[in-house]
Amino acid sequence: MSSKNSNHLSSSSKTSQASSPQVEEIFAAYAAGIDDGEGCVHITKKSPSNGKPTYSMLVEIGMSENGLPILQALHRAYGGILFPARPATSTQKPIHTWRTCADEANIFLQSIRPYLIIKAAQADVLLKFQQLRRASHYWTAEMREQAEMMKQEIHRLNRRGPRQKDPPPSIQKREIARFVD
């Protein structure tokens, strides 16, 4: 975590300075679980009038009113913005979203990456994307092509539903028989 994160966590925890790295590690693991369950990652594409698109990455976590203290802690620790995403209705609590991008998102992802399970592959793509983005101040044609491929990979990884259907039972039996015989 950055020094901003260390200061926030150590000053808000009731542990000694010697244990602050443990607090940071626990917070990062907790944040990874929240991101795995409630988070969303994107690579966005902006197409200006000159026809040369640029790309950026976003990490968002949205939660109902009950989760607001968690989002506030993420905001204090990692920066970004926190905003109301949907007002309360007669049947639903309000939704709040924490969003971070670029360097702040990179710090967040580096911090939580060892603990991610569900979004580990997406985090790896975004961390590579950030390396690409930092390689040059200007987007070259090759960088745009790589960024577009990364954007498509994130889109594929974020797709809902079954990733791969099980083969029909007849094929499963043949595959099992190959190993048994």
Side-chain angles (χ1 to χ4, degrees):
M1 289 181 156
S2 71
S3 61
K4 174 183 179 179
N5 306 348
S6 300
N7 292 339
H8 161 67
L9 294 174
S10 62
S11 65
S12 65
S13 69
K14 295 189 179 201
T15 59
S16 68
Q17 281 292 85
S19 67
S20 66
Q22 292 170 325
V23 172
E24 289 178 26
E25 190 172 335
I26 291 167
F27 186 77
Y30 183 79
I34 295 296
D35 188 60
D36 265 344
E38 305 294 334
C40 185
V41 297
H42 314 271
I43 293 177
T44 62
K45 177 180 178 179
K46 292 181 182 174
S47 297
S49 59
N50 69 5
K52 297 179 179 180
T54 59
Y55 297 82
S56 59
M57 69 178 191
L58 294 174
V59 176
E60 295 181 317
I61 300 175
M63 300 180 85
S64 71
E65 190 76 19
N66 294 350
L68 185 56
I70 297 165
L71 298 176
Q72 290 168 333
L74 290 169
H75 182 242
R76 284 190 304 269
Y78 296 104
I81 60 171
L82 179 59
F83 58 94
R86 186 190 73 205
T89 67
S90 61
T91 59
Q92 297 178 325
K93 295 179 179 181
I95 300 292
H96 300 275
T97 298
W98 171 70
R99 179 183 295 158
T100 185
C101 60
D103 291 336
E104 288 177 336
N106 193 54
I107 291 167
F108 175 68
L109 290 172
Q110 286 176 344
S111 172
I112 68 170
R113 176 56 188 93
Y115 312 104
L116 286 170
I117 298 170
I118 297 168
K119 291 191 174 72
Q122 288 97 320
D124 290 342
V125 172
L126 287 179
L127 291 169
K128 287 178 187 172
F129 172 82
Q130 189 66 0
Q131 289 176 347
L132 173 70
R133 191 176 86 61
R134 293 178 135 215
S136 173
H137 183 67
Y138 300 99
W139 284 93
T140 65
E142 182 182 342
M143 289 172 66
R144 284 187 183 92
E145 184 178 325
Q146 290 176 6
E148 184 61 34
M149 290 183 345
M150 291 177 186
K151 180 183 185 314
Q152 295 306 317
E153 179 63 6
I154 288 291
H155 183 70
R156 185 188 71 76
L157 291 167
N158 285 343
R159 206 171 296 140
R160 293 183 187 195
R163 297 275 187 238
Q164 180 179 0
K165 295 187 178 197
D166 290 330
S170 60
I171 294 175
Q172 289 177 347
K173 287 178 185 174
R174 275 187 276 155
E175 291 298 314
I176 293 169
R178 271 188 13 190
F179 295 106
V180 174
D181 293 338

